[in-house]
Amino acid sequence: MKILYVITGLAGGGAEKVVIDLADQMQAHGHQVKIAYLKGQPILQPQNPEIGLHYLGLENPWRLWSAYRTYQQLLQSYAPDVVHAHMVHANIFSRLARILHKVPKLICTAHSTNEGGALRMLAYRLTDHWADINSHVSQRATQLFIQRKAFSTQAITVYNGIDLSAFYKQRFRPEQLTEFLPSAIIAARQQDPACKLILAVGRLNVQKDYPNLLYAIQQLKSLHSTSFQVMIAGEGEQRAAIEQLIMDLQLQDDVILLGRRQDVAALMSIADVFVLSSREEGFALVVAEAMACECYVVATDCGGVKEVMGDTGTLVAIEDSTRLAQAIADVLREDPALLSASRAAAKQRVHEQFSVQLAVQQWLRIYA
């Protein structure tokens, strides 16, 4: 089978990681795979060099026709059996392109509960009939899109899958920690071996609501008597605003921005708590990754987070830093045996429901 994935870009977000993992897995299953991306520089790339990356050049609306012509040439030369688009721009683009160039099957997958404002929802609605199958990454998000009439009632839910060979609990000797932890974290742990590590991972954007986390950390300092350090891994357009808020809240000694990291599984393996403070999510891939690494999760109840976590970890309402701070404090002083049991249950849940292998099998049935 020839599969063409079309995606808005290949930055370091969860949706992009999902597509890269799917491409590698499909190629490993003996299928031919190519990825077309609309814009930007490809930060993420497949492990398999046989998977071709094709830049369409849709950096602004004025380049729509040029991007379509490049896409058309790819369709003509490759002749895919299935085109699977991901994220709003790629979904709308691939639907519109189908008016001029037919493809055997077009599947469109949304990855966020908020893929834009009313105009984007209208664009989804008006182009719905050009997609053979619409899907979202959580039941909650699927129903929301149906309610907004962005998707028809025939839309389906397919959960994202994670590569369990990459996300698992890693063990480190003390001297190994210096290889990937910031010196400030090492110094804090040397000064206080009981120092707790709190980790957040995700793009520095409005949807992830890092101010919610930072206000919670400010309150946590009065709720938790022992020392802790907070690490935030990720990059994005909100970095300057987040840096300023860290200074305004006088958290310079408590919070470290790590930037984009390739060793997220290692960070999750040594963290005591993983915190997701988002106001919007689709599936929340990082939550499943933290669960696979046996890191206790405290998360806001948005998008498909509850579906991922089940009865493991701790859920709190969105945009409530007081409750978030209290939840983190409760975890930091919880009985280690109870935390261990919850982490084991979380790991088992991910292995049973959210592996990339399960996702691949479900997609292959849909592609057929």
Side-chain angles (χ1 to χ4, degrees), residues 60-117:
N60 59 63
W62 312 115
R63 299 185 63 179
L64 178 59
W65 179 250
S66 173
Y68 166 72
R69 292 291 294 169
T70 302
Y71 179 62
Q72 181 187 46
Q73 291 169 9
L74 175 61
L75 292 177
Q76 290 173 339
S77 62
Y78 182 46
D81 300 300
V82 176
V83 175
H84 188 174
H86 294 259
M87 304 173 69
V88 57
H89 296 91
N91 287 337
I92 302 303
F93 175 84
S94 61
R95 290 174 176 186
L96 294 175
R98 201 179 193 190
I99 300 172
L100 299 176
H101 192 105
K102 304 302 181 186
V103 294
K105 179 176 283 190
L106 174 61
I107 300 167
C108 294
T109 297
H111 284 264
S112 174
T113 52
N114 181 10
E115 294 243 309

Short mmCIF file of all heavy atoms in Angstrom, two decimals, residues 60-117:
data_model
loop_
_atom_site.label_atom_id
_atom_site.label_comp_id
_atom_site.label_asym_id
_atom_site.label_seq_id
_atom_site.Cartn_x
_atom_site.Cartn_y
_atom_site.Cartn_z
N ASN A 60 2.28 31.20 3.16
CA ASN A 60 1.26 32.23 3.29
C ASN A 60 0.17 31.95 2.26
O ASN A 60 0.36 31.16 1.32
CB ASN A 60 1.85 33.63 3.10
CG ASN A 60 2.52 33.79 1.75
OD1 ASN A 60 1.87 33.70 0.71
ND2 ASN A 60 3.84 34.02 1.76
N PRO A 61 -1.02 32.57 2.42
CA PRO A 61 -2.14 32.27 1.51
C PRO A 61 -1.84 32.56 0.05
O PRO A 61 -2.44 31.92 -0.84
CB PRO A 61 -3.25 33.19 2.03
CG PRO A 61 -2.91 33.45 3.46
CD PRO A 61 -1.42 33.48 3.51
N TRP A 62 -0.93 33.49 -0.22
CA TRP A 62 -0.65 33.84 -1.60
C TRP A 62 0.08 32.72 -2.34
O TRP A 62 0.14 32.75 -3.59
CB TRP A 62 0.18 35.12 -1.65
CG TRP A 62 -0.39 36.20 -0.78
CD1 TRP A 62 0.17 36.76 0.33
CD2 TRP A 62 -1.68 36.82 -0.91
NE1 TRP A 62 -0.66 37.68 0.89
CE2 TRP A 62 -1.81 37.75 0.16
CE3 TRP A 62 -2.74 36.70 -1.82
CZ2 TRP A 62 -2.94 38.54 0.33
CZ3 TRP A 62 -3.86 37.48 -1.65
CH2 TRP A 62 -3.95 38.39 -0.60
N ARG A 63 0.60 31.76 -1.60
CA ARG A 63 1.33 30.66 -2.25
C ARG A 63 0.47 29.40 -2.36
O ARG A 63 0.97 28.30 -2.57
CB ARG A 63 2.60 30.37 -1.46
CG ARG A 63 3.56 31.56 -1.40
CD ARG A 63 4.87 31.22 -0.73
NE ARG A 63 5.62 30.20 -1.47
CZ ARG A 63 6.80 29.75 -1.10
NH1 ARG A 63 7.38 30.22 0.00
NH2 ARG A 63 7.43 28.83 -1.81
N LEU A 64 -0.84 29.56 -2.20
CA LEU A 64 -1.74 28.41 -2.23
C LEU A 64 -1.67 27.67 -3.57
O LEU A 64 -1.55 26.43 -3.59
CB LEU A 64 -3.18 28.86 -1.96
CG LEU A 64 -4.25 27.76 -2.00
CD1 LEU A 64 -3.95 26.68 -0.97
CD2 LEU A 64 -5.64 28.36 -1.77
N TRP A 65 -1.73 28.39 -4.68
CA TRP A 65 -1.72 27.72 -5.98
C TRP A 65 -0.38 27.03 -6.23
O TRP A 65 -0.35 25.89 -6.72
CB TRP A 65 -2.02 28.71 -7.09
CG TRP A 65 -2.01 28.07 -8.46
CD1 TRP A 65 -1.09 28.24 -9.45
CD2 TRP A 65 -2.96 27.12 -8.96
NE1 TRP A 65 -1.41 27.47 -10.55
CE2 TRP A 65 -2.56 26.76 -10.28
CE3 TRP A 65 -4.11 26.53 -8.43
CZ2 TRP A 65 -3.26 25.86 -11.06
CZ3 TRP A 65 -4.82 25.63 -9.22
CH2 TRP A 65 -4.39 25.29 -10.51
N SER A 66 0.71 27.70 -5.86
CA SER A 66 2.02 27.08 -6.03
C SER A 66 2.14 25.81 -5.19
O SER A 66 2.67 24.79 -5.66
CB SER A 66 3.11 28.08 -5.63
OG SER A 66 4.39 27.47 -5.63
N ALA A 67 1.63 25.87 -3.97
CA ALA A 67 1.67 24.69 -3.09
C ALA A 67 0.83 23.57 -3.67
O ALA A 67 1.22 22.39 -3.63
CB ALA A 67 1.19 25.06 -1.69
N TYR A 68 -0.33 23.94 -4.21
CA TYR A 68 -1.19 22.91 -4.82
C TYR A 68 -0.48 22.25 -6.00
O TYR A 68 -0.54 21.02 -6.16
CB TYR A 68 -2.52 23.49 -5.28
CG TYR A 68 -3.23 22.54 -6.21
CD1 TYR A 68 -3.81 21.36 -5.70
CD2 TYR A 68 -3.26 22.74 -7.60
CE1 TYR A 68 -4.41 20.45 -6.55
CE2 TYR A 68 -3.85 21.83 -8.44
CZ TYR A 68 -4.42 20.68 -7.92
OH TYR A 68 -5.00 19.76 -8.77
N ARG A 69 0.18 23.03 -6.84
CA ARG A 69 0.87 22.47 -8.00
C ARG A 69 1.96 21.50 -7.56
O ARG A 69 2.14 20.43 -8.16
CB ARG A 69 1.46 23.59 -8.86
CG ARG A 69 0.42 24.46 -9.54
CD ARG A 69 -0.32 23.72 -10.62
NE ARG A 69 0.58 23.38 -11.74
CZ ARG A 69 0.26 22.55 -12.72
NH1 ARG A 69 -0.92 21.96 -12.73
NH2 ARG A 69 1.11 22.30 -13.69
N THR A 70 2.69 21.85 -6.52
CA THR A 70 3.72 20.94 -5.99
C THR A 70 3.08 19.66 -5.47
O THR A 70 3.58 18.55 -5.70
CB THR A 70 4.51 21.64 -4.86
OG1 THR A 70 5.08 22.84 -5.36
CG2 THR A 70 5.61 20.73 -4.34
N TYR A 71 1.96 19.82 -4.76
CA TYR A 71 1.23 18.68 -4.23
C TYR A 71 0.69 17.80 -5.37
O TYR A 71 0.77 16.57 -5.30
CB TYR A 71 0.10 19.21 -3.36
CG TYR A 71 -0.80 18.16 -2.73
CD1 TYR A 71 -0.30 17.22 -1.83
CD2 TYR A 71 -2.17 18.14 -3.01
CE1 TYR A 71 -1.13 16.28 -1.23
CE2 TYR A 71 -3.01 17.20 -2.41
CZ TYR A 71 -2.48 16.28 -1.54
OH TYR A 71 -3.31 15.35 -0.94
N GLN A 72 0.15 18.44 -6.39
CA GLN A 72 -0.38 17.70 -7.53
C GLN A 72 0.71 16.86 -8.20
O GLN A 72 0.48 15.69 -8.56
CB GLN A 72 -0.99 18.67 -8.54
CG GLN A 72 -1.61 17.99 -9.77
CD GLN A 72 -2.03 18.99 -10.81
OE1 GLN A 72 -1.28 19.91 -11.14
NE2 GLN A 72 -3.25 18.82 -11.34
N GLN A 73 1.87 17.43 -8.37
CA GLN A 73 2.98 16.69 -8.97
C GLN A 73 3.36 15.49 -8.12
O GLN A 73 3.67 14.41 -8.65
CB GLN A 73 4.18 17.62 -9.15
CG GLN A 73 3.98 18.70 -10.21
CD GLN A 73 5.05 19.76 -10.19
OE1 GLN A 73 6.07 19.63 -9.50
NE2 GLN A 73 4.85 20.83 -10.94
N LEU A 74 3.32 15.66 -6.80
CA LEU A 74 3.60 14.54 -5.90
C LEU A 74 2.54 13.45 -6.05
O LEU A 74 2.88 12.25 -6.13
CB LEU A 74 3.67 15.04 -4.45
CG LEU A 74 3.84 13.97 -3.37
CD1 LEU A 74 5.13 13.19 -3.56
CD2 LEU A 74 3.82 14.62 -1.98
N LEU A 75 1.28 13.84 -6.12
CA LEU A 75 0.21 12.86 -6.29
C LEU A 75 0.35 12.11 -7.61
O LEU A 75 0.14 10.90 -7.67
CB LEU A 75 -1.15 13.56 -6.23
CG LEU A 75 -1.57 14.15 -4.88
CD1 LEU A 75 -2.91 14.87 -5.02
CD2 LEU A 75 -1.67 13.08 -3.80
N GLN A 76 0.71 12.82 -8.65
CA GLN A 76 0.84 12.18 -9.97
C GLN A 76 2.01 11.21 -10.01
O GLN A 76 1.90 10.12 -10.58
CB GLN A 76 1.00 13.26 -11.04
CG GLN A 76 -0.27 14.07 -11.28
CD GLN A 76 -0.05 15.24 -12.23
OE1 GLN A 76 1.08 15.70 -12.42
NE2 GLN A 76 -1.12 15.74 -12.82
N SER A 77 3.12 11.58 -9.41
CA SER A 77 4.30 10.72 -9.48
C SER A 77 4.23 9.56 -8.50
O SER A 77 4.71 8.46 -8.79
CB SER A 77 5.56 11.55 -9.21
OG SER A 77 5.51 12.12 -7.90
N TYR A 78 3.60 9.78 -7.35
CA TYR A 78 3.57 8.76 -6.30
C TYR A 78 2.32 7.89 -6.38
O TYR A 78 2.37 6.69 -6.09
CB TYR A 78 3.65 9.46 -4.94
CG TYR A 78 3.70 8.54 -3.74
CD1 TYR A 78 4.53 7.43 -3.69
CD2 TYR A 78 2.89 8.81 -2.62
CE1 TYR A 78 4.56 6.60 -2.58
CE2 TYR A 78 2.92 7.98 -1.50
CZ TYR A 78 3.75 6.88 -1.49
OH TYR A 78 3.79 6.07 -0.38
N ALA A 79 1.19 8.47 -6.76
CA ALA A 79 -0.09 7.76 -6.87
C ALA A 79 -0.43 6.99 -5.60
O ALA A 79 -0.53 5.76 -5.60
CB ALA A 79 -0.06 6.80 -8.08
N PRO A 80 -0.64 7.70 -4.49
CA PRO A 80 -0.93 7.02 -3.22
C PRO A 80 -2.28 6.32 -3.23
O PRO A 80 -3.23 6.78 -3.89
CB PRO A 80 -0.91 8.17 -2.21
CG PRO A 80 -1.29 9.37 -2.99
CD PRO A 80 -0.67 9.17 -4.34
N ASP A 81 -2.38 5.25 -2.49
CA ASP A 81 -3.67 4.57 -2.28
C ASP A 81 -4.49 5.30 -1.22
O ASP A 81 -5.72 5.27 -1.27
CB ASP A 81 -3.43 3.12 -1.85
CG ASP A 81 -2.65 2.34 -2.88
OD1 ASP A 81 -3.14 2.22 -4.01
OD2 ASP A 81 -1.53 1.89 -2.56
N VAL A 82 -3.79 5.90 -0.26
CA VAL A 82 -4.45 6.61 0.84
C VAL A 82 -3.72 7.91 1.09
O VAL A 82 -2.48 7.93 1.16
CB VAL A 82 -4.45 5.77 2.14
CG1 VAL A 82 -5.06 6.56 3.30
CG2 VAL A 82 -5.19 4.46 1.95
N VAL A 83 -4.48 8.99 1.24
CA VAL A 83 -3.93 10.25 1.73
C VAL A 83 -4.51 10.48 3.11
O VAL A 83 -5.74 10.50 3.28
CB VAL A 83 -4.28 11.43 0.81
CG1 VAL A 83 -3.81 12.75 1.43
CG2 VAL A 83 -3.66 11.24 -0.57
N HIS A 84 -3.64 10.62 4.09
CA HIS A 84 -4.08 10.82 5.47
C HIS A 84 -3.54 12.16 5.94
O HIS A 84 -2.34 12.31 6.17
CB HIS A 84 -3.56 9.67 6.35
CG HIS A 84 -4.12 9.69 7.73
ND1 HIS A 84 -3.89 8.68 8.65
CD2 HIS A 84 -4.92 10.59 8.38
CE1 HIS A 84 -4.50 8.97 9.79
NE2 HIS A 84 -5.13 10.13 9.65
N ALA A 85 -4.44 13.15 6.07
CA ALA A 85 -4.06 14.50 6.47
C ALA A 85 -4.21 14.68 7.97
O ALA A 85 -5.09 14.07 8.60
CB ALA A 85 -4.91 15.53 5.72
N HIS A 86 -3.35 15.53 8.54
CA HIS A 86 -3.36 15.79 9.98
C HIS A 86 -3.24 17.28 10.26
O HIS A 86 -2.39 17.96 9.66
CB HIS A 86 -2.18 15.07 10.66
CG HIS A 86 -2.26 13.58 10.61
ND1 HIS A 86 -2.67 12.83 11.67
CD2 HIS A 86 -1.96 12.71 9.61
CE1 HIS A 86 -2.63 11.55 11.34
NE2 HIS A 86 -2.20 11.45 10.09
N MET A 87 -4.04 17.78 11.17
CA MET A 87 -4.06 19.17 11.62
C MET A 87 -4.86 20.03 10.63
O MET A 87 -4.97 19.71 9.45
CB MET A 87 -2.66 19.72 11.86
CG MET A 87 -1.86 18.87 12.85
SD MET A 87 -0.12 19.37 13.02
CE MET A 87 -0.28 20.95 13.84
N VAL A 88 -5.38 21.14 11.14
CA VAL A 88 -6.42 21.88 10.42
C VAL A 88 -5.98 22.36 9.04
O VAL A 88 -6.72 22.18 8.06
CB VAL A 88 -6.93 23.05 11.28
CG1 VAL A 88 -5.82 24.01 11.70
CG2 VAL A 88 -8.03 23.81 10.56
N HIS A 89 -4.82 22.99 8.92
CA HIS A 89 -4.42 23.53 7.61
C HIS A 89 -4.27 22.42 6.58
O HIS A 89 -4.70 22.56 5.42
CB HIS A 89 -3.13 24.33 7.73
CG HIS A 89 -3.25 25.54 8.60
ND1 HIS A 89 -2.98 25.52 9.95
CD2 HIS A 89 -3.64 26.81 8.31
CE1 HIS A 89 -3.19 26.72 10.45
NE2 HIS A 89 -3.59 27.53 9.49
N ALA A 90 -3.63 21.32 6.98
CA ALA A 90 -3.44 20.21 6.06
C ALA A 90 -4.78 19.55 5.72
O ALA A 90 -4.98 19.10 4.58
CB ALA A 90 -2.48 19.19 6.66
N ASN A 91 -5.67 19.47 6.68
CA ASN A 91 -6.98 18.87 6.43
C ASN A 91 -7.75 19.67 5.38
O ASN A 91 -8.29 19.11 4.42
CB ASN A 91 -7.79 18.80 7.73
CG ASN A 91 -7.28 17.73 8.68
OD1 ASN A 91 -6.64 16.76 8.26
ND2 ASN A 91 -7.56 17.88 9.95
N ILE A 92 -7.83 20.99 5.57
CA ILE A 92 -8.57 21.82 4.62
C ILE A 92 -7.87 21.82 3.26
O ILE A 92 -8.52 21.72 2.21
CB ILE A 92 -8.70 23.26 5.17
CG1 ILE A 92 -9.42 23.25 6.53
CG2 ILE A 92 -9.45 24.13 4.17
CD1 ILE A 92 -10.79 22.62 6.53
N PHE A 93 -6.55 21.93 3.26
CA PHE A 93 -5.78 21.93 2.01
C PHE A 93 -6.02 20.66 1.21
O PHE A 93 -6.29 20.70 0.00
CB PHE A 93 -4.30 22.09 2.31
CG PHE A 93 -3.40 21.99 1.11
CD1 PHE A 93 -3.16 23.10 0.30
CD2 PHE A 93 -2.79 20.78 0.77
CE1 PHE A 93 -2.34 23.00 -0.81
CE2 PHE A 93 -1.97 20.68 -0.33
CZ PHE A 93 -1.74 21.80 -1.13
N SER A 94 -5.94 19.50 1.86
CA SER A 94 -6.08 18.23 1.14
C SER A 94 -7.51 18.03 0.63
O SER A 94 -7.71 17.42 -0.43
CB SER A 94 -5.66 17.07 2.04
OG SER A 94 -6.49 17.00 3.20
N ARG A 95 -8.48 18.57 1.35
CA ARG A 95 -9.87 18.49 0.87
C ARG A 95 -10.06 19.36 -0.37
O ARG A 95 -10.65 18.91 -1.36
CB ARG A 95 -10.82 18.95 1.98
CG ARG A 95 -10.93 18.00 3.16
CD ARG A 95 -11.78 18.62 4.24
NE ARG A 95 -12.00 17.72 5.36
CZ ARG A 95 -12.82 18.00 6.38
NH1 ARG A 95 -13.47 19.15 6.40
NH2 ARG A 95 -12.98 17.14 7.37
N LEU A 96 -9.59 20.59 -0.32
CA LEU A 96 -9.73 21.48 -1.47
C LEU A 96 -8.97 20.95 -2.68
O LEU A 96 -9.46 21.05 -3.82
CB LEU A 96 -9.23 22.89 -1.10
CG LEU A 96 -10.04 23.64 -0.04
CD1 LEU A 96 -9.37 24.95 0.31
CD2 LEU A 96 -11.47 23.88 -0.53
N ALA A 97 -7.79 20.38 -2.43
CA ALA A 97 -7.00 19.83 -3.54
C ALA A 97 -7.72 18.68 -4.23
O ALA A 97 -7.52 18.44 -5.43
CB ALA A 97 -5.64 19.37 -3.02
N ARG A 98 -8.59 17.99 -3.49
CA ARG A 98 -9.28 16.85 -4.06
C ARG A 98 -10.30 17.28 -5.13
O ARG A 98 -10.73 16.46 -5.95
CB ARG A 98 -9.98 16.07 -2.96
CG ARG A 98 -10.30 14.63 -3.35
CD ARG A 98 -10.97 13.86 -2.23
NE ARG A 98 -10.98 12.43 -2.51
CZ ARG A 98 -11.66 11.53 -1.81
NH1 ARG A 98 -12.39 11.93 -0.77
NH2 ARG A 98 -11.61 10.26 -2.13
N ILE A 99 -10.69 18.55 -5.11
CA ILE A 99 -11.61 19.05 -6.13
C ILE A 99 -10.96 18.93 -7.51
O ILE A 99 -11.62 18.56 -8.50
CB ILE A 99 -11.97 20.53 -5.86
CG1 ILE A 99 -12.64 20.66 -4.49
CG2 ILE A 99 -12.89 21.07 -6.95
CD1 ILE A 99 -12.86 22.10 -4.07
N LEU A 100 -9.66 19.21 -7.56
CA LEU A 100 -8.94 19.24 -8.83
C LEU A 100 -8.19 17.95 -9.13
O LEU A 100 -7.93 17.64 -10.30
CB LEU A 100 -7.96 20.42 -8.85
CG LEU A 100 -8.60 21.81 -8.69
CD1 LEU A 100 -7.52 22.88 -8.64
CD2 LEU A 100 -9.56 22.09 -9.84
N HIS A 101 -7.83 17.23 -8.10
CA HIS A 101 -7.07 15.99 -8.32
C HIS A 101 -7.64 14.90 -7.39
O HIS A 101 -7.50 14.98 -6.18
CB HIS A 101 -5.59 16.20 -8.03
CG HIS A 101 -4.73 15.06 -8.51
ND1 HIS A 101 -3.93 15.14 -9.62
CD2 HIS A 101 -4.56 13.81 -8.02
CE1 HIS A 101 -3.31 13.99 -9.81
NE2 HIS A 101 -3.68 13.16 -8.84
N LYS A 102 -8.26 13.92 -7.98
CA LYS A 102 -8.90 12.87 -7.19
C LYS A 102 -7.86 11.95 -6.56
O LYS A 102 -6.81 11.67 -7.15
CB LYS A 102 -9.84 12.04 -8.07
CG LYS A 102 -10.90 12.86 -8.79
CD LYS A 102 -11.76 13.65 -7.82
CE LYS A 102 -12.82 14.46 -8.55
NZ LYS A 102 -13.58 15.33 -7.63
N VAL A 103 -8.17 11.47 -5.36
CA VAL A 103 -7.35 10.45 -4.69
C VAL A 103 -8.29 9.34 -4.24
O VAL A 103 -9.47 9.58 -3.97
CB VAL A 103 -6.58 11.03 -3.49
CG1 VAL A 103 -5.54 12.05 -3.94
CG2 VAL A 103 -7.52 11.64 -2.46
N PRO A 104 -7.81 8.09 -4.19
CA PRO A 104 -8.69 6.96 -3.87
C PRO A 104 -9.37 7.09 -2.51
O PRO A 104 -10.56 6.77 -2.38
CB PRO A 104 -7.74 5.76 -3.91
CG PRO A 104 -6.63 6.18 -4.80
CD PRO A 104 -6.45 7.64 -4.55
N LYS A 105 -8.62 7.54 -1.49
CA LYS A 105 -9.21 7.66 -0.15
C LYS A 105 -8.53 8.81 0.57
O LYS A 105 -7.30 8.90 0.59
CB LYS A 105 -9.05 6.36 0.64
CG LYS A 105 -9.62 6.43 2.06
CD LYS A 105 -9.54 5.09 2.78
CE LYS A 105 -10.62 4.15 2.30
NZ LYS A 105 -10.70 2.92 3.16
N LEU A 106 -9.34 9.67 1.18
CA LEU A 106 -8.82 10.80 1.95
C LEU A 106 -9.36 10.72 3.37
O LEU A 106 -10.57 10.69 3.60
CB LEU A 106 -9.22 12.13 1.32
CG LEU A 106 -8.85 13.39 2.13
CD1 LEU A 106 -7.34 13.50 2.30
CD2 LEU A 106 -9.41 14.64 1.45
N ILE A 107 -8.43 10.69 4.31
CA ILE A 107 -8.77 10.67 5.73
C ILE A 107 -8.22 11.94 6.37
O ILE A 107 -7.07 12.32 6.12
CB ILE A 107 -8.16 9.43 6.42
CG1 ILE A 107 -8.69 8.15 5.77
CG2 ILE A 107 -8.47 9.43 7.92
CD1 ILE A 107 -7.93 6.91 6.16
N CYS A 108 -9.03 12.60 7.18
CA CYS A 108 -8.62 13.85 7.83
C CYS A 108 -8.72 13.68 9.34
O CYS A 108 -9.79 13.35 9.86
CB CYS A 108 -9.49 15.01 7.38
SG CYS A 108 -9.29 15.44 5.64
N THR A 109 -7.60 13.93 10.03
CA THR A 109 -7.55 13.78 11.48
C THR A 109 -7.25 15.12 12.14
O THR A 109 -6.26 15.77 11.81
CB THR A 109 -6.46 12.76 11.89
OG1 THR A 109 -6.81 11.48 11.36
CG2 THR A 109 -6.35 12.66 13.41
N ALA A 110 -8.11 15.53 13.06
CA ALA A 110 -7.88 16.72 13.88
C ALA A 110 -7.18 16.30 15.16
O ALA A 110 -7.36 15.16 15.63
CB ALA A 110 -9.19 17.43 14.18
N HIS A 111 -6.40 17.21 15.74
CA HIS A 111 -5.60 16.85 16.90
C HIS A 111 -5.82 17.74 18.12
O HIS A 111 -5.14 17.56 19.13
CB HIS A 111 -4.11 16.88 16.53
CG HIS A 111 -3.66 15.71 15.72
ND1 HIS A 111 -3.08 14.58 16.28
CD2 HIS A 111 -3.72 15.48 14.39
CE1 HIS A 111 -2.79 13.71 15.32
NE2 HIS A 111 -3.17 14.22 14.16
N SER A 112 -6.73 18.69 18.04
CA SER A 112 -6.96 19.59 19.17
C SER A 112 -8.45 19.85 19.32
O SER A 112 -9.19 19.84 18.32
CB SER A 112 -6.22 20.91 18.98
OG SER A 112 -6.54 21.84 20.01
N THR A 113 -8.89 20.11 20.55
CA THR A 113 -10.29 20.49 20.74
C THR A 113 -10.56 21.87 20.17
O THR A 113 -11.70 22.22 19.89
CB THR A 113 -10.65 20.49 22.24
OG1 THR A 113 -9.68 21.27 22.95
CG2 THR A 113 -10.68 19.08 22.79
N ASN A 114 -9.51 22.67 19.99
CA ASN A 114 -9.66 23.99 19.40
C ASN A 114 -8.71 24.12 18.22
O ASN A 114 -7.54 24.44 18.37
CB ASN A 114 -9.36 25.08 20.44
CG ASN A 114 -9.53 26.48 19.88
OD1 ASN A 114 -10.07 26.66 18.78
ND2 ASN A 114 -9.09 27.47 20.62
N GLU A 115 -9.23 23.87 17.02
CA GLU A 115 -8.41 23.97 15.82
C GLU A 115 -8.53 25.34 15.18
O GLU A 115 -8.18 25.54 14.01
CB GLU A 115 -8.82 22.88 14.83
CG GLU A 115 -8.52 21.47 15.31
CD GLU A 115 -7.52 20.74 14.45
OE1 GLU A 115 -7.69 20.70 13.23
OE2 GLU A 115 -6.55 20.20 15.01
N GLY A 116 -9.03 26.30 15.94
CA GLY A 116 -9.18 27.65 15.43
C GLY A 116 -10.57 28.18 15.74
O GLY A 116 -11.38 27.53 16.39
N GLY A 117 -10.86 29.38 15.26
CA GLY A 117 -12.13 30.03 15.55
C GLY A 117 -13.25 29.60 14.62
O GLY A 117 -13.20 28.55 13.97
#
